[in-house]
Amino acid sequence: QGAERAAPARVNSFEMSSSSYSALAQRALVAPNPKHHKARTVRAGNKKYQWWGSSTTIGVSRSSEDLRAKAQAAAKEAPAADELPPTEWEPKEWRGSFENDADALKSFMSEVTRRLEGEECRFIVVGDGGILESTQPMPGEARFAELGPKGTCCTIASPTKEFEAHVMLAKVKEVALARSERGGRKIYAVRLFGDSGEDAPAKSVMTILLNGLGEGGVPEEAIEKWESLATCLPGA
């Protein structure tokens, strides 16, 4: 019969998984194919970045030489590594000292109530023989009263006075904003610390947590308000 057909020449092409391609595109700023990838906006500080990802496989429409050339050209204009958005959530803490500075502490406590007003918070006080916890939307105002030798008392109270928390500011030496993870749950805390001993850590005066026990955890809006308190700490 007729001669056998010659096998077609092998095309020099490659196949790259979407995860590998996406990672390379992020580093080299190569624009992914919109047919295969979907952009997602990610916030990092005051900047927004576009992250790319897809569960599908990239086809063979791009040659390795073409991709490599574009990556090398774009890498020259790529931002520094520390400007890229974080790859995963990490624990962090901001601390400020308020020792012998009652006015600065009064200002900070006022900002806590003003910025977190209406956000569901959990107030925790740990005593020598017991722990008291109460969940309450943050009142919008802190009140202050001078109690003679005891110094300034800060009161955070609901409009109906069914909830009241009192803090003797002279007992507070440091404040920490700390985010951590426990049991798969993210925790955002305002921690008020008192004196510390030679071999003992600073004693907790009061802790205020953003309450995220419900479905979905802590709302993003509440987290942004909490993070903004870092600018109110001394030295910020």
Side-chain angles (χ1 to χ4, degrees):
Q1 306 293 335
E4 291 186 3
R5 293 183 181 177
R10 183 165 188 145
V11 177
N12 182 17
S13 61
F14 77 110
E15 193 171 38
M16 180 181 284
S17 70
S18 61
S19 59
S20 299
Y21 177 80
S22 179
L24 178 58
Q26 287 177 34
R27 290 195 299 271
L29 302 184
V30 177
N33 187 335
K35 292 182 180 179
H36 300 286
H37 285 71
K38 182 179 179 182
R40 179 166 64 90
T41 300
V42 178
R43 294 183 63 89
N46 295 325
K47 298 182 179 180
K48 289 184 178 180
Y49 300 85
Q50 296 294 327
W51 281 39
W52 301 84
S54 171
S55 59
T56 61
T57 301
I58 301 301
V60 296
S61 59
R62 292 175 180 262
S63 69
S64 57
E65 292 80 5
D66 178 59
L67 180 60
R68 187 179 298 110
K70 290 185 177 181
Q72 290 173 346
K76 296 178 181 179
E77 300 178 3
D82 57 358
E83 293 180 1
L84 293 174
T87 56
E88 55 184 44
W89 189 93
E90 294 181 350
K92 190 171 183 178
E93 183 180 89
W94 296 265
R95 275 189 183 250
S97 174
F98 289 92
E99 193 163 7
N100 302 320
D101 197 345
D103 289 338
L105 185 55
K106 286 171 64 176
S107 177
F108 178 80
M109 295 302 293
S110 294
E111 288 298 319
V112 170
T113 55
R114 184 180 71 83
R115 299 190 186 207
L116 298 183
E117 180 180 7
E119 300 297 342
E120 194 79 7
C121 293
R122 181 175 294 271
F123 293 77
I124 304 172
V125 176
V126 180
D128 292 336
I131 300 174
L132 177 63
E133 297 190 20
S134 180
T135 301
Q136 169 74 27
M138 176 66 74
E141 182 182 10
R143 294 184 289 107
F144 304 94
E146 298 299 328
L147 302 182
K150 292 183 178 181
T152 304
C153 175
C154 171
T155 297
I156 301 174
S158 65
T160 62
K161 301 296 193 301
E162 292 180 350
F163 168 84
E164 291 191 19
H166 305 279
V167 181
M168 302 305 298
L169 299 188
K171 297 292 186 181
V172 179
K173 309 300 181 185
E174 262 190 331
V175 173
L177 298 176
R179 70 184 188 196
S180 57
E181 189 168 5
R182 187 179 304 164
R185 190 165 54 89
K186 292 180 173 61
I187 298 172
Y188 301 86
V190 179
R191 303 188 188 279
L192 311 181
F193 291 106
D195 290 317
S196 58
E198 270 186 40
D199 301 317
K203 185 177 180 180
S204 174
V205 175
M206 179 183 289
T207 298
I208 303 172
L209 306 179
L210 294 181
N211 195 40
L213 297 182
E215 186 177 348
V218 179
E220 189 66 32
E221 183 180 357
I223 295 173
E224 290 180 1
K225 294 176 182 178
W226 175 86
E227 288 177 340
S228 73
L229 289 171
T231 63
C232 303
L233 293 173

